Amino acid sequence: MTAPPTPRDPRNGDLKKEVEYLRKLNLALLTLLEKKGVLSETEVQTVLRAAHRAAYPPKPPQPVGPAMLGTRWVKAEDQES
């Protein structure tokens, strides 16, 4: 039997190199499909935009300022006993 693969440590450069390689490979494939006429420029841009949104989801909206003058937002860790 073969041994299970060892998990990669994200602190070393292996994971970053692999992610960068996959990003470039996917970009090359999309470019090739566009040049061959399989995908339009709009379709390629849509795929890239969707991938970017999946990788970097939008941050939740922050609360707006205090409701009344003289009040402020307090987080649980900011409260004094």
Side-chain angles (χ1 to χ4, degrees), residues 57-68:
K59 296 179 182 177
Q62 297 296 320
V64 287
M68 296 174 40

Side-chain angles (χ1 to χ4, degrees), residues 42-64:
T42 305
E43 291 169 327
V44 170
Q45 292 301 322
T46 302
V47 170
L48 292 174
R49 198 173 305 119
H52 181 74
R53 284 185 187 155
Y56 304 103
K59 296 179 182 177
Q62 297 296 320
V64 287

Side-chain angles (χ1 to χ4, degrees), residues 2 27 34 44 47 66 77:
T2 60
L27 188 58
E34 181 183 1
V44 170
V47 170
E77 61 266 12

Side-chain angles (χ1 to χ4, degrees), residues 24-44:
K24 288 180 180 181
L25 179 64
N26 286 324
L27 188 58
L29 289 172
L30 286 173
T31 303
L32 177 68
L33 291 174
E34 181 183 1
K35 286 182 181 179
K36 295 289 184 179
V38 177
L39 295 176
S40 69
E41 182 181 354
T42 305
E43 291 169 327
V44 170

